[in-house]
Amino acid sequence: MHQFMNIGFDNMVSLARIVAIISPESAPVKRLVQEAREAGRVIDATHGRKTRAVVFTDSSYMILSAIQPETLVGRLDNE
């Protein structure tokens, strides 16, 4: 059975697919997100709010979340 983590606004990500959860503030991460966006591999789950975390998946998709990475990791511990 799959377990899911809420990444905000009732959007869910499969725990089995998550590789990393990182802050989007550094230039290299911003560059990675832009490249993925151009390739159509970004899922924006922020609902128009500021991106506070980037969830990297094992399928090379990046999911943008409006929730802090620390909060998302705390949710992992509660799953």
Side-chain angles (χ1 to χ4, degrees):
M1 175 150 185
H2 279 103
Q3 290 185 312
F4 292 90
M5 178 178 62
N6 185 335
I7 59 166
F9 306 105
D10 293 327
N11 295 300
M12 305 289 182
V13 177
S14 172
L15 292 178
R17 305 302 298 255
I18 296 174
V19 175
I21 302 171
I22 60 173
S23 171
E25 300 304 318
S26 71
V29 174
K30 288 180 182 180
R31 193 169 29 255
L32 284 172
V33 170
Q34 185 58 38
E35 290 170 2
R37 189 181 302 278
E38 291 168 1
R41 292 183 287 112
V42 169
I43 300 169
D44 188 344
T46 63
H47 285 245
R49 290 176 175 75
K50 180 181 177 182
T51 299
R52 299 196 176 199
V54 180
V55 180
F56 286 79
T57 68
D58 62 355
S59 59
S60 299
Y61 274 81
M62 294 179 194
I63 304 167
L64 309 180
S65 174
I67 298 176
Q68 294 286 351
E70 297 84 10
T71 304
L72 293 176
V73 171
R75 291 180 181 184
L76 280 174
D77 293 337
N78 293 331
E79 295 298 322

PDB file of all heavy atoms in Angstrom, residues 7 13 17-24 27-46 51 53-65:
ATOM      1  N   ILE A   7       1.658  17.828   0.700  1.00  0.00           N
ATOM      2  CA  ILE A   7       2.638  18.887   0.456  1.00  0.00           C
ATOM      3  C   ILE A   7       1.972  20.261   0.411  1.00  0.00           C
ATOM      4  O   ILE A   7       2.564  21.231  -0.032  1.00  0.00           O
ATOM      5  CB  ILE A   7       3.443  18.638  -0.829  1.00  0.00           C
ATOM      6  CG1 ILE A   7       2.526  18.544  -2.037  1.00  0.00           C
ATOM      7  CG2 ILE A   7       4.314  17.417  -0.677  1.00  0.00           C
ATOM      8  CD1 ILE A   7       3.257  18.642  -3.355  1.00  0.00           C
ATOM      9  N   VAL A  13       2.036  13.508  -2.405  1.00  0.00           N
ATOM     10  CA  VAL A  13       3.149  12.901  -3.118  1.00  0.00           C
ATOM     11  C   VAL A  13       3.409  11.538  -2.494  1.00  0.00           C
ATOM     12  O   VAL A  13       3.391  11.391  -1.269  1.00  0.00           O
ATOM     13  CB  VAL A  13       4.429  13.761  -3.008  1.00  0.00           C
ATOM     14  CG1 VAL A  13       5.596  13.078  -3.689  1.00  0.00           C
ATOM     15  CG2 VAL A  13       4.204  15.129  -3.591  1.00  0.00           C
ATOM     16  N   ARG A  17       8.371   7.776  -3.883  1.00  0.00           N
ATOM     17  CA  ARG A  17       8.943   8.470  -5.040  1.00  0.00           C
ATOM     18  C   ARG A  17       9.855   9.629  -4.649  1.00  0.00           C
ATOM     19  O   ARG A  17      10.573  10.162  -5.479  1.00  0.00           O
ATOM     20  CB  ARG A  17       7.835   9.007  -5.951  1.00  0.00           C
ATOM     21  CG  ARG A  17       6.811   8.012  -6.435  1.00  0.00           C
ATOM     22  CD  ARG A  17       7.386   6.835  -7.198  1.00  0.00           C
ATOM     23  NE  ARG A  17       8.067   7.184  -8.414  1.00  0.00           N
ATOM     24  CZ  ARG A  17       7.597   7.014  -9.635  1.00  0.00           C
ATOM     25  NH1 ARG A  17       6.410   6.510  -9.816  1.00  0.00           N
ATOM     26  NH2 ARG A  17       8.322   7.329 -10.678  1.00  0.00           N
ATOM     27  N   ILE A  18       9.836  10.049  -3.383  1.00  0.00           N
ATOM     28  CA  ILE A  18      10.618  11.208  -2.958  1.00  0.00           C
ATOM     29  C   ILE A  18      12.089  10.840  -2.812  1.00  0.00           C
ATOM     30  O   ILE A  18      12.438   9.877  -2.145  1.00  0.00           O
ATOM     31  CB  ILE A  18      10.080  11.769  -1.622  1.00  0.00           C
ATOM     32  CG1 ILE A  18       8.662  12.298  -1.812  1.00  0.00           C
ATOM     33  CG2 ILE A  18      11.001  12.870  -1.095  1.00  0.00           C
ATOM     34  CD1 ILE A  18       7.991  12.727  -0.528  1.00  0.00           C
ATOM     35  N   VAL A  19      12.937  11.654  -3.451  1.00  0.00           N
ATOM     36  CA  VAL A  19      14.384  11.482  -3.346  1.00  0.00           C
ATOM     37  C   VAL A  19      14.965  12.522  -2.404  1.00  0.00           C
ATOM     38  O   VAL A  19      15.822  12.221  -1.580  1.00  0.00           O
ATOM     39  CB  VAL A  19      15.051  11.596  -4.740  1.00  0.00           C
ATOM     40  CG1 VAL A  19      16.563  11.552  -4.635  1.00  0.00           C
ATOM     41  CG2 VAL A  19      14.539  10.502  -5.661  1.00  0.00           C
ATOM     42  N   ALA A  20      14.481  13.779  -2.516  1.00  0.00           N
ATOM     43  CA  ALA A  20      15.001  14.863  -1.684  1.00  0.00           C
ATOM     44  C   ALA A  20      13.964  15.965  -1.549  1.00  0.00           C
ATOM     45  O   ALA A  20      13.121  16.138  -2.422  1.00  0.00           O
ATOM     46  CB  ALA A  20      16.273  15.435  -2.293  1.00  0.00           C
ATOM     47  N   ILE A  21      14.048  16.695  -0.434  1.00  0.00           N
ATOM     48  CA  ILE A  21      13.226  17.885  -0.203  1.00  0.00           C
ATOM     49  C   ILE A  21      14.202  18.986   0.169  1.00  0.00           C
ATOM     50  O   ILE A  21      14.889  18.883   1.194  1.00  0.00           O
ATOM     51  CB  ILE A  21      12.211  17.667   0.934  1.00  0.00           C
ATOM     52  CG1 ILE A  21      11.294  16.490   0.620  1.00  0.00           C
ATOM     53  CG2 ILE A  21      11.408  18.937   1.173  1.00  0.00           C
ATOM     54  CD1 ILE A  21      10.401  16.077   1.778  1.00  0.00           C
ATOM     55  N   ILE A  22      14.284  20.028  -0.676  1.00  0.00           N
ATOM     56  CA  ILE A  22      15.284  21.060  -0.437  1.00  0.00           C
ATOM     57  C   ILE A  22      14.691  22.456  -0.578  1.00  0.00           C
ATOM     58  O   ILE A  22      13.624  22.636  -1.165  1.00  0.00           O
ATOM     59  CB  ILE A  22      16.493  20.907  -1.377  1.00  0.00           C
ATOM     60  CG1 ILE A  22      16.051  21.017  -2.823  1.00  0.00           C
ATOM     61  CG2 ILE A  22      17.208  19.604  -1.145  1.00  0.00           C
ATOM     62  CD1 ILE A  22      17.198  21.043  -3.792  1.00  0.00           C
ATOM     63  N   SER A  23      15.418  23.427  -0.061  1.00  0.00           N
ATOM     64  CA  SER A  23      15.032  24.832  -0.176  1.00  0.00           C
ATOM     65  C   SER A  23      15.349  25.324  -1.584  1.00  0.00           C
ATOM     66  O   SER A  23      16.381  24.963  -2.152  1.00  0.00           O
ATOM     67  CB  SER A  23      15.807  25.649   0.858  1.00  0.00           C
ATOM     68  OG  SER A  23      15.610  27.018   0.629  1.00  0.00           O
ATOM     69  N   PRO A  24      14.506  26.189  -2.135  1.00  0.00           N
ATOM     70  CA  PRO A  24      14.723  26.674  -3.508  1.00  0.00           C
ATOM     71  C   PRO A  24      15.575  27.936  -3.600  1.00  0.00           C
ATOM     72  O   PRO A  24      15.669  28.537  -4.662  1.00  0.00           O
ATOM     73  CB  PRO A  24      13.299  26.971  -3.968  1.00  0.00           C
ATOM     74  CG  PRO A  24      12.629  27.450  -2.736  1.00  0.00           C
ATOM     75  CD  PRO A  24      13.214  26.607  -1.625  1.00  0.00           C
ATOM     76  N   ALA A  27      21.175  29.476  -6.041  1.00  0.00           N
ATOM     77  CA  ALA A  27      21.213  29.641  -7.501  1.00  0.00           C
ATOM     78  C   ALA A  27      21.224  28.295  -8.238  1.00  0.00           C
ATOM     79  O   ALA A  27      20.512  28.149  -9.239  1.00  0.00           O
ATOM     80  CB  ALA A  27      22.409  30.493  -7.901  1.00  0.00           C
ATOM     81  N   PRO A  28      21.990  27.296  -7.784  1.00  0.00           N
ATOM     82  CA  PRO A  28      21.969  26.019  -8.496  1.00  0.00           C
ATOM     83  C   PRO A  28      20.583  25.357  -8.498  1.00  0.00           C
ATOM     84  O   PRO A  28      20.174  24.772  -9.503  1.00  0.00           O
ATOM     85  CB  PRO A  28      22.981  25.155  -7.733  1.00  0.00           C
ATOM     86  CG  PRO A  28      23.905  26.132  -7.107  1.00  0.00           C
ATOM     87  CD  PRO A  28      23.051  27.319  -6.758  1.00  0.00           C
ATOM     88  N   VAL A  29      19.868  25.460  -7.394  1.00  0.00           N
ATOM     89  CA  VAL A  29      18.531  24.863  -7.337  1.00  0.00           C
ATOM     90  C   VAL A  29      17.583  25.633  -8.244  1.00  0.00           C
ATOM     91  O   VAL A  29      16.785  25.037  -8.972  1.00  0.00           O
ATOM     92  CB  VAL A  29      18.001  24.805  -5.886  1.00  0.00           C
ATOM     93  CG1 VAL A  29      16.559  24.320  -5.856  1.00  0.00           C
ATOM     94  CG2 VAL A  29      18.886  23.905  -5.047  1.00  0.00           C
ATOM     95  N   LYS A  30      17.673  26.955  -8.225  1.00  0.00           N
ATOM     96  CA  LYS A  30      16.837  27.760  -9.120  1.00  0.00           C
ATOM     97  C   LYS A  30      17.095  27.388 -10.578  1.00  0.00           C
ATOM     98  O   LYS A  30      16.168  27.291 -11.384  1.00  0.00           O
ATOM     99  CB  LYS A  30      17.105  29.252  -8.907  1.00  0.00           C
ATOM    100  CG  LYS A  30      16.551  29.772  -7.602  1.00  0.00           C
ATOM    101  CD  LYS A  30      16.846  31.243  -7.434  1.00  0.00           C
ATOM    102  CE  LYS A  30      16.324  31.739  -6.090  1.00  0.00           C
ATOM    103  NZ  LYS A  30      16.571  33.154  -5.875  1.00  0.00           N
ATOM    104  N   ARG A  31      18.359  27.154 -10.916  1.00  0.00           N
ATOM    105  CA  ARG A  31      18.722  26.762 -12.277  1.00  0.00           C
ATOM    106  C   ARG A  31      18.131  25.388 -12.610  1.00  0.00           C
ATOM    107  O   ARG A  31      17.579  25.188 -13.697  1.00  0.00           O
ATOM    108  CB  ARG A  31      20.247  26.762 -12.406  1.00  0.00           C
ATOM    109  CG  ARG A  31      20.755  26.669 -13.803  1.00  0.00           C
ATOM    110  CD  ARG A  31      22.262  26.934 -13.940  1.00  0.00           C
ATOM    111  NE  ARG A  31      23.088  26.589 -12.794  1.00  0.00           N
ATOM    112  CZ  ARG A  31      23.608  27.471 -11.944  1.00  0.00           C
ATOM    113  NH1 ARG A  31      23.377  28.752 -12.074  1.00  0.00           N
ATOM    114  NH2 ARG A  31      24.364  27.063 -10.936  1.00  0.00           N
ATOM    115  N   LEU A  32      18.227  24.441 -11.687  1.00  0.00           N
ATOM    116  CA  LEU A  32      17.657  23.111 -11.908  1.00  0.00           C
ATOM    117  C   LEU A  32      16.149  23.179 -12.121  1.00  0.00           C
ATOM    118  O   LEU A  32      15.603  22.510 -13.004  1.00  0.00           O
ATOM    119  CB  LEU A  32      17.953  22.189 -10.721  1.00  0.00           C
ATOM    120  CG  LEU A  32      19.360  21.630 -10.606  1.00  0.00           C
ATOM    121  CD1 LEU A  32      19.525  20.910  -9.266  1.00  0.00           C
ATOM    122  CD2 LEU A  32      19.649  20.685 -11.752  1.00  0.00           C
ATOM    123  N   VAL A  33      15.476  23.985 -11.309  1.00  0.00           N
ATOM    124  CA  VAL A  33      14.027  24.124 -11.437  1.00  0.00           C
ATOM    125  C   VAL A  33      13.679  24.754 -12.787  1.00  0.00           C
ATOM    126  O   VAL A  33      12.755  24.295 -13.471  1.00  0.00           O
ATOM    127  CB  VAL A  33      13.429  24.943 -10.269  1.00  0.00           C
ATOM    128  CG1 VAL A  33      11.975  25.288 -10.533  1.00  0.00           C
ATOM    129  CG2 VAL A  33      13.575  24.176  -8.963  1.00  0.00           C
ATOM    130  N   GLN A  34      14.421  25.769 -13.204  1.00  0.00           N
ATOM    131  CA  GLN A  34      14.149  26.418 -14.489  1.00  0.00           C
ATOM    132  C   GLN A  34      14.350  25.447 -15.647  1.00  0.00           C
ATOM    133  O   GLN A  34      13.538  25.388 -16.579  1.00  0.00           O
ATOM    134  CB  GLN A  34      15.029  27.658 -14.670  1.00  0.00           C
ATOM    135  CG  GLN A  34      14.711  28.440 -15.928  1.00  0.00           C
ATOM    136  CD  GLN A  34      13.258  28.910 -15.976  1.00  0.00           C
ATOM    137  OE1 GLN A  34      12.681  29.305 -14.968  1.00  0.00           O
ATOM    138  NE2 GLN A  34      12.665  28.845 -17.146  1.00  0.00           N
ATOM    139  N   GLU A  35      15.419  24.658 -15.586  1.00  0.00           N
ATOM    140  CA  GLU A  35      15.672  23.667 -16.637  1.00  0.00           C
ATOM    141  C   GLU A  35      14.554  22.629 -16.672  1.00  0.00           C
ATOM    142  O   GLU A  35      14.094  22.232 -17.749  1.00  0.00           O
ATOM    143  CB  GLU A  35      17.022  22.995 -16.427  1.00  0.00           C
ATOM    144  CG  GLU A  35      18.196  23.918 -16.682  1.00  0.00           C
ATOM    145  CD  GLU A  35      19.522  23.328 -16.243  1.00  0.00           C
ATOM    146  OE1 GLU A  35      19.568  22.169 -15.766  1.00  0.00           O
ATOM    147  OE2 GLU A  35      20.541  24.041 -16.369  1.00  0.00           O
ATOM    148  N   ALA A  36      14.115  22.180 -15.507  1.00  0.00           N
ATOM    149  CA  ALA A  36      13.031  21.196 -15.436  1.00  0.00           C
ATOM    150  C   ALA A  36      11.720  21.806 -15.933  1.00  0.00           C
ATOM    151  O   ALA A  36      10.934  21.147 -16.615  1.00  0.00           O
ATOM    152  CB  ALA A  36      12.870  20.680 -14.006  1.00  0.00           C
ATOM    153  N   ARG A  37      11.487  23.075 -15.622  1.00  0.00           N
ATOM    154  CA  ARG A  37      10.278  23.767 -16.080  1.00  0.00           C
ATOM    155  C   ARG A  37      10.256  23.805 -17.613  1.00  0.00           C
ATOM    156  O   ARG A  37       9.238  23.526 -18.242  1.00  0.00           O
ATOM    157  CB  ARG A  37      10.205  25.169 -15.500  1.00  0.00           C
ATOM    158  CG  ARG A  37       8.885  25.874 -15.746  1.00  0.00           C
ATOM    159  CD  ARG A  37       8.859  27.289 -15.180  1.00  0.00           C
ATOM    160  NE  ARG A  37       9.114  27.397 -13.753  1.00  0.00           N
ATOM    161  CZ  ARG A  37       8.197  27.203 -12.799  1.00  0.00           C
ATOM    162  NH1 ARG A  37       6.969  26.877 -13.117  1.00  0.00           N
ATOM    163  NH2 ARG A  37       8.522  27.332 -11.537  1.00  0.00           N
ATOM    164  N   GLU A  38      11.395  24.146 -18.216  1.00  0.00           N
ATOM    165  CA  GLU A  38      11.493  24.207 -19.676  1.00  0.00           C
ATOM    166  C   GLU A  38      11.284  22.838 -20.312  1.00  0.00           C
ATOM    167  O   GLU A  38      10.770  22.737 -21.418  1.00  0.00           O
ATOM    168  CB  GLU A  38      12.846  24.791 -20.081  1.00  0.00           C
ATOM    169  CG  GLU A  38      12.985  26.256 -19.738  1.00  0.00           C
ATOM    170  CD  GLU A  38      14.399  26.787 -19.869  1.00  0.00           C
ATOM    171  OE1 GLU A  38      15.315  26.016 -20.254  1.00  0.00           O
ATOM    172  OE2 GLU A  38      14.590  27.982 -19.573  1.00  0.00           O
ATOM    173  N   ALA A  39      11.666  21.777 -19.591  1.00  0.00           N
ATOM    174  CA  ALA A  39      11.496  20.411 -20.090  1.00  0.00           C
ATOM    175  C   ALA A  39      10.128  19.835 -19.758  1.00  0.00           C
ATOM    176  O   ALA A  39       9.827  18.693 -20.115  1.00  0.00           O
ATOM    177  CB  ALA A  39      12.596  19.510 -19.514  1.00  0.00           C
ATOM    178  N   GLY A  40       9.296  20.604 -19.034  1.00  0.00           N
ATOM    179  CA  GLY A  40       7.964  20.125 -18.672  1.00  0.00           C
ATOM    180  C   GLY A  40       7.950  19.122 -17.538  1.00  0.00           C
ATOM    181  O   GLY A  40       7.043  18.298 -17.439  1.00  0.00           O
ATOM    182  N   ARG A  41       8.959  19.194 -16.659  1.00  0.00           N
ATOM    183  CA  ARG A  41       9.060  18.251 -15.550  1.00  0.00           C
ATOM    184  C   ARG A  41       8.832  18.901 -14.192  1.00  0.00           C
ATOM    185  O   ARG A  41       9.293  18.388 -13.169  1.00  0.00           O
ATOM    186  CB  ARG A  41      10.427  17.565 -15.567  1.00  0.00           C
ATOM    187  CG  ARG A  41      10.628  16.639 -16.751  1.00  0.00           C
ATOM    188  CD  ARG A  41      11.957  15.920 -16.720  1.00  0.00           C
ATOM    189  NE  ARG A  41      13.048  16.842 -17.033  1.00  0.00           N
ATOM    190  CZ  ARG A  41      13.983  17.229 -16.172  1.00  0.00           C
ATOM    191  NH1 ARG A  41      14.010  16.792 -14.942  1.00  0.00           N
ATOM    192  NH2 ARG A  41      14.927  18.063 -16.537  1.00  0.00           N
ATOM    193  N   VAL A  42       8.122  20.034 -14.161  1.00  0.00           N
ATOM    194  CA  VAL A  42       7.817  20.713 -12.898  1.00  0.00           C
ATOM    195  C   VAL A  42       6.322  20.643 -12.642  1.00  0.00           C
ATOM    196  O   VAL A  42       5.520  20.908 -13.534  1.00  0.00           O
ATOM    197  CB  VAL A  42       8.281  22.187 -12.919  1.00  0.00           C
ATOM    198  CG1 VAL A  42       7.734  22.949 -11.724  1.00  0.00           C
ATOM    199  CG2 VAL A  42       9.793  22.261 -12.931  1.00  0.00           C
ATOM    200  N   ILE A  43       5.975  20.273 -11.421  1.00  0.00           N
ATOM    201  CA  ILE A  43       4.579  20.286 -10.973  1.00  0.00           C
ATOM    202  C   ILE A  43       4.489  21.362  -9.900  1.00  0.00           C
ATOM    203  O   ILE A  43       5.132  21.259  -8.856  1.00  0.00           O
ATOM    204  CB  ILE A  43       4.160  18.916 -10.412  1.00  0.00           C
ATOM    205  CG1 ILE A  43       4.302  17.848 -11.483  1.00  0.00           C
ATOM    206  CG2 ILE A  43       2.734  18.980  -9.867  1.00  0.00           C
ATOM    207  CD1 ILE A  43       4.173  16.433 -10.971  1.00  0.00           C
ATOM    208  N   ASP A  44       3.722  22.403 -10.182  1.00  0.00           N
ATOM    209  CA  ASP A  44       3.600  23.530  -9.264  1.00  0.00           C
ATOM    210  C   ASP A  44       2.380  23.321  -8.365  1.00  0.00           C
ATOM    211  O   ASP A  44       1.250  23.434  -8.817  1.00  0.00           O
ATOM    212  CB  ASP A  44       3.473  24.831 -10.054  1.00  0.00           C
ATOM    213  CG  ASP A  44       3.540  26.064  -9.166  1.00  0.00           C
ATOM    214  OD1 ASP A  44       3.387  25.936  -7.938  1.00  0.00           O
ATOM    215  OD2 ASP A  44       3.748  27.154  -9.719  1.00  0.00           O
ATOM    216  N   ALA A  45       2.636  23.009  -7.100  1.00  0.00           N
ATOM    217  CA  ALA A  45       1.564  22.782  -6.131  1.00  0.00           C
ATOM    218  C   ALA A  45       1.494  23.918  -5.112  1.00  0.00           C
ATOM    219  O   ALA A  45       1.023  23.724  -3.999  1.00  0.00           O
ATOM    220  CB  ALA A  45       1.776  21.441  -5.427  1.00  0.00           C
ATOM    221  N   THR A  46       1.948  25.114  -5.504  1.00  0.00           N
ATOM    222  CA  THR A  46       1.990  26.246  -4.580  1.00  0.00           C
ATOM    223  C   THR A  46       0.700  27.047  -4.543  1.00  0.00           C
ATOM    224  O   THR A  46       0.542  27.884  -3.655  1.00  0.00           O
ATOM    225  CB  THR A  46       3.132  27.208  -4.942  1.00  0.00           C
ATOM    226  OG1 THR A  46       2.881  27.751  -6.245  1.00  0.00           O
ATOM    227  CG2 THR A  46       4.482  26.527  -4.897  1.00  0.00           C
ATOM    228  N   THR A  51       7.293  29.692  -3.550  1.00  0.00           N
ATOM    229  CA  THR A  51       7.861  28.346  -3.437  1.00  0.00           C
ATOM    230  C   THR A  51       8.820  28.312  -2.262  1.00  0.00           C
ATOM    231  O   THR A  51       9.765  29.097  -2.194  1.00  0.00           O
ATOM    232  CB  THR A  51       8.604  27.957  -4.731  1.00  0.00           C
ATOM    233  OG1 THR A  51       7.678  27.968  -5.816  1.00  0.00           O
ATOM    234  CG2 THR A  51       9.235  26.576  -4.605  1.00  0.00           C
ATOM    235  N   ALA A  53       9.720  25.019  -0.894  1.00  0.00           N
ATOM    236  CA  ALA A  53      10.404  23.725  -0.935  1.00  0.00           C
ATOM    237  C   ALA A  53      10.279  23.134  -2.331  1.00  0.00           C
ATOM    238  O   ALA A  53       9.281  23.338  -3.018  1.00  0.00           O
ATOM    239  CB  ALA A  53       9.804  22.757   0.083  1.00  0.00           C
ATOM    240  N   VAL A  54      11.330  22.417  -2.724  1.00  0.00           N
ATOM    241  CA  VAL A  54      11.316  21.678  -3.974  1.00  0.00           C
ATOM    242  C   VAL A  54      11.458  20.207  -3.613  1.00  0.00           C
ATOM    243  O   VAL A  54      12.403  19.807  -2.929  1.00  0.00           O
ATOM    244  CB  VAL A  54      12.471  22.109  -4.903  1.00  0.00           C
ATOM    245  CG1 VAL A  54      12.419  21.322  -6.207  1.00  0.00           C
ATOM    246  CG2 VAL A  54      12.412  23.609  -5.175  1.00  0.00           C
ATOM    247  N   VAL A  55      10.494  19.405  -4.063  1.00  0.00           N
ATOM    248  CA  VAL A  55      10.509  17.976  -3.810  1.00  0.00           C
ATOM    249  C   VAL A  55      11.016  17.301  -5.080  1.00  0.00           C
ATOM    250  O   VAL A  55      10.387  17.403  -6.132  1.00  0.00           O
ATOM    251  CB  VAL A  55       9.099  17.453  -3.443  1.00  0.00           C
ATOM    252  CG1 VAL A  55       9.141  15.952  -3.193  1.00  0.00           C
ATOM    253  CG2 VAL A  55       8.550  18.196  -2.234  1.00  0.00           C
ATOM    254  N   PHE A  56      12.157  16.639  -4.982  1.00  0.00           N
ATOM    255  CA  PHE A  56      12.717  15.916  -6.113  1.00  0.00           C
ATOM    256  C   PHE A  56      12.194  14.481  -6.076  1.00  0.00           C
ATOM    257  O   PHE A  56      12.180  13.853  -5.012  1.00  0.00           O
ATOM    258  CB  PHE A  56      14.247  15.892  -6.030  1.00  0.00           C
ATOM    259  CG  PHE A  56      14.891  17.207  -6.369  1.00  0.00           C
ATOM    260  CD1 PHE A  56      14.936  18.226  -5.433  1.00  0.00           C
ATOM    261  CD2 PHE A  56      15.435  17.424  -7.612  1.00  0.00           C
ATOM    262  CE1 PHE A  56      15.532  19.441  -5.735  1.00  0.00           C
ATOM    263  CE2 PHE A  56      16.030  18.635  -7.924  1.00  0.00           C
ATOM    264  CZ  PHE A  56      16.080  19.637  -6.988  1.00  0.00           C
ATOM    265  N   THR A  57      11.799  13.962  -7.229  1.00  0.00           N
ATOM    266  CA  THR A  57      11.282  12.594  -7.297  1.00  0.00           C
ATOM    267  C   THR A  57      12.242  11.696  -8.064  1.00  0.00           C
ATOM    268  O   THR A  57      13.112  12.182  -8.793  1.00  0.00           O
ATOM    269  CB  THR A  57       9.904  12.554  -7.981  1.00  0.00           C
ATOM    270  OG1 THR A  57      10.070  12.900  -9.362  1.00  0.00           O
ATOM    271  CG2 THR A  57       8.915  13.493  -7.313  1.00  0.00           C
ATOM    272  N   ASP A  58      12.035  10.408  -7.930  1.00  0.00           N
ATOM    273  CA  ASP A  58      12.885   9.444  -8.623  1.00  0.00           C
ATOM    274  C   ASP A  58      12.619   9.396 -10.124  1.00  0.00           C
ATOM    275  O   ASP A  58      13.357   8.758 -10.867  1.00  0.00           O
ATOM    276  CB  ASP A  58      12.749   8.059  -8.000  1.00  0.00           C
ATOM    277  CG  ASP A  58      11.344   7.506  -8.091  1.00  0.00           C
ATOM    278  OD1 ASP A  58      10.424   8.216  -8.547  1.00  0.00           O
ATOM    279  OD2 ASP A  58      11.155   6.342  -7.682  1.00  0.00           O
ATOM    280  N   SER A  59      11.594  10.078 -10.597  1.00  0.00           N
ATOM    281  CA  SER A  59      11.276  10.111 -12.024  1.00  0.00           C
ATOM    282  C   SER A  59      11.708  11.432 -12.669  1.00  0.00           C
ATOM    283  O   SER A  59      11.224  11.789 -13.738  1.00  0.00           O
ATOM    284  CB  SER A  59       9.777   9.879 -12.229  1.00  0.00           C
ATOM    285  OG  SER A  59       9.043  10.879 -11.559  1.00  0.00           O
ATOM    286  N   SER A  60      12.597  12.159 -12.003  1.00  0.00           N
ATOM    287  CA  SER A  60      13.157  13.422 -12.492  1.00  0.00           C
ATOM    288  C   SER A  60      12.157  14.572 -12.524  1.00  0.00           C
ATOM    289  O   SER A  60      12.410  15.592 -13.155  1.00  0.00           O
ATOM    290  CB  SER A  60      13.787  13.251 -13.883  1.00  0.00           C
ATOM    291  OG  SER A  60      14.835  12.329 -13.830  1.00  0.00           O
ATOM    292  N   TYR A  61      11.016  14.411 -11.875  1.00  0.00           N
ATOM    293  CA  TYR A  61      10.075  15.520 -11.741  1.00  0.00           C
ATOM    294  C   TYR A  61      10.436  16.305 -10.492  1.00  0.00           C
ATOM    295  O   TYR A  61      10.985  15.760  -9.529  1.00  0.00           O
ATOM    296  CB  TYR A  61       8.635  15.017 -11.625  1.00  0.00           C
ATOM    297  CG  TYR A  61       7.994  14.788 -12.968  1.00  0.00           C
ATOM    298  CD1 TYR A  61       8.238  13.628 -13.675  1.00  0.00           C
ATOM    299  CD2 TYR A  61       7.168  15.744 -13.537  1.00  0.00           C
ATOM    300  CE1 TYR A  61       7.676  13.419 -14.915  1.00  0.00           C
ATOM    301  CE2 TYR A  61       6.592  15.542 -14.775  1.00  0.00           C
ATOM    302  CZ  TYR A  61       6.850  14.378 -15.461  1.00  0.00           C
ATOM    303  OH  TYR A  61       6.289  14.193 -16.693  1.00  0.00           O
ATOM    304  N   MET A  62      10.124  17.597 -10.511  1.00  0.00           N
ATOM    305  CA  MET A  62      10.295  18.452  -9.348  1.00  0.00           C
ATOM    306  C   MET A  62       8.933  19.012  -8.999  1.00  0.00           C
ATOM    307  O   MET A  62       8.225  19.523  -9.865  1.00  0.00           O
ATOM    308  CB  MET A  62      11.263  19.584  -9.655  1.00  0.00           C
ATOM    309  CG  MET A  62      12.653  19.115  -9.903  1.00  0.00           C
ATOM    310  SD  MET A  62      13.722  20.484 -10.292  1.00  0.00           S
ATOM    311  CE  MET A  62      15.110  19.591 -10.927  1.00  0.00           C
ATOM    312  N   ILE A  63       8.564  18.897  -7.739  1.00  0.00           N
ATOM    313  CA  ILE A  63       7.277  19.385  -7.273  1.00  0.00           C
ATOM    314  C   ILE A  63       7.535  20.577  -6.367  1.00  0.00           C
ATOM    315  O   ILE A  63       8.306  20.485  -5.411  1.00  0.00           O
ATOM    316  CB  ILE A  63       6.516  18.276  -6.522  1.00  0.00           C
ATOM    317  CG1 ILE A  63       6.376  17.044  -7.418  1.00  0.00           C
ATOM    318  CG2 ILE A  63       5.150  18.791  -6.064  1.00  0.00           C
ATOM    319  CD1 ILE A  63       5.933  15.801  -6.697  1.00  0.00           C
ATOM    320  N   LEU A  64       6.906  21.701  -6.696  1.00  0.00           N
ATOM    321  CA  LEU A  64       7.081  22.922  -5.920  1.00  0.00           C
ATOM    322  C   LEU A  64       6.003  23.003  -4.850  1.00  0.00           C
ATOM    323  O   LEU A  64       4.823  22.794  -5.136  1.00  0.00           O
ATOM    324  CB  LEU A  64       7.003  24.145  -6.834  1.00  0.00           C
ATOM    325  CG  LEU A  64       7.897  24.121  -8.067  1.00  0.00           C
ATOM    326  CD1 LEU A  64       7.710  25.400  -8.872  1.00  0.00           C
ATOM    327  CD2 LEU A  64       9.342  23.897  -7.707  1.00  0.00           C
ATOM    328  N   SER A  65       6.413  23.302  -3.626  1.00  0.00           N
ATOM    329  CA  SER A  65       5.487  23.384  -2.503  1.00  0.00           C
ATOM    330  C   SER A  65       5.644  24.727  -1.802  1.00  0.00           C
ATOM    331  O   SER A  65       6.735  25.293  -1.754  1.00  0.00           O
ATOM    332  CB  SER A  65       5.762  22.257  -1.509  1.00  0.00           C
ATOM    333  OG  SER A  65       4.966  22.403  -0.354  1.00  0.00           O
TER     334      SER A  65
END
